[in-house]
Amino acid sequence: MKLYLSIADVPINEPGDDLVLSASIEPIAGDETPGDNVFTIVDVVELTPYNENLTVVQGPEVHIDNATDYLNYVINFQNDTGEEISNVLVNTILDANLDSNSIQIISSSHPVRFNMYDGEINFWFDGINLPAFDGLQVGGEGYVMYRVKPINGVDVGDTVTSSSSIHMDLNAPIFTNYVTTTFVDVLEIGEFNFSELEVIVFPNPARNEIHIESSSLLSSIEVYSMLGQKLLETKTRGTSKTIEVSTLAAGNYLVKVNLEGGGTKTLRVLKE
């Protein structure tokens, strides 16, 4: 028996185009139902989603022995207002179990300044000029990544909860999701499942470089074309890595993250 998979040889240029996929099994002598040997499905090309969200790299649990280490947060935002945005304000309220004096900006998509007042942090993107969604491609996007330490004396069972709101010019604020990190004395890893590890690749879409942040040690990063051709590979050891992608043509790519001790996670990235 032979199984054939195929994708219709038609140009895919923009959202809304049909993507036709089919599978067929070579007829077998004595097959009582040969009519079901061919299956076709039509999918539709869609934009790569890039939603406003807040992520904590360390994930939902941190061992109490690491309670003096930084927690790393990434806030993404995108202009879907329909018009160009001049200024963006990202606001987040610090949890009582976080030390406001330890906050540091690690990376951002655009120049950013920040201030703190009464437990709130404001990240100001002045003159950012985010382009509007034009009907064919996503609107302008950005991000800020910062880190902050828990307060001294945090104990087992204590929880850190974070959220943020994004203000674009005079438009109504956009609220992101909530993320929670709890300090524990035993990590609930059970049968270790690498697919549940937190791995972040940003910015997405990307222009010149991508950043990988992981809750587990990395061993190597590989970048593939959508046809499976390996284009880039770099060895590393640590929980973060930056890769230059400016030489890649615009389009979709697969970023394969290999972890120490085995296990992988693959994410799709759009290169502008």
Side-chain angles (χ1 to χ4, degrees), residues 36-238:
D36 63 3
N37 287 359
V38 178
F39 178 76
T40 301
I41 186 172
V42 179
D43 206 346
V44 178
V45 177
E46 297 180 356
L47 293 170
T48 300
Y50 189 88
N51 299 320
E52 289 79 12
N53 64 74
L54 169 66
T55 305
V56 57
V57 173
Q58 283 71 19
E61 290 186 348
V62 169
H63 196 276
I64 192 63
D65 290 347
N66 300 320
T68 58
D69 295 341
Y70 283 99
L71 294 175
N72 297 62
Y73 293 91
V74 181
I75 303 175
N76 294 305
F77 56 87
Q78 180 185 33
N79 178 15
D80 55 4
T81 65
E83 58 187 19
E84 184 175 280
I85 294 299
S86 299
N87 304 294
V88 174
L89 165 63
V90 177
N91 171 272
T92 185
I93 299 176
L94 280 183
D95 190 277
N97 283 323
L98 292 177
D99 179 6
S100 61
N101 293 319
S102 67
I103 185 170
Q104 298 177 358
I105 295 179
I106 300 175
S107 179
S108 64
S109 57
H110 303 76
V112 62
R113 60 186 176 90
F114 80 99
N115 60 16
M116 291 184 295
Y117 177 75
D118 196 24
E120 292 189 29
I121 308 174
N122 291 317
F123 299 95
W124 300 88
F125 293 84
D126 303 313
I128 193 172
N129 297 327
L130 282 182
F133 174 73
D134 62 8
L136 294 177
Q137 54 186 338
V138 296
E141 71 286 327
Y143 72 90
V144 59
M145 182 176 186
Y146 65 95
R147 65 181 187 177
V148 60
K149 286 186 175 183
I151 60 173
N152 291 328
V154 70
D155 204 353
V156 172
D158 287 343
T159 296
V160 174
T161 302
S162 299
S163 66
S164 63
S165 60
I166 300 163
H167 305 254
M168 297 190 178
D169 286 344
L170 300 178
N171 293 286
I174 303 167
F175 294 93
T176 69
N177 54 297
Y178 287 87
V179 292
T180 299
T181 300
T182 302
F183 295 94
V184 298
D185 53 0
V186 178
L187 292 174
E188 296 183 2
I189 56 177
E191 294 182 2
F192 205 75
N193 187 351
F194 286 95
S195 66
E196 296 178 357
L197 288 173
E198 190 69 54
V199 178
I200 304 171
V201 177
F202 66 96
N204 188 12
R207 290 188 177 88
N208 297 318
E209 58 185 23
I210 55 175
H211 308 281
I212 296 94
E213 295 284 340
S214 171
S215 59
S216 182
L217 285 176
L218 305 168
S219 62
S220 65
I221 312 294
E222 302 167 23
V223 179
Y224 291 83
S225 71
M226 297 303 291
L227 298 177
Q229 178 185 9
K230 185 188 291 187
L231 304 175
L232 298 172
E233 181 177 10
T234 181
K235 303 292 184 181
T236 185
R237 181 173 175 80

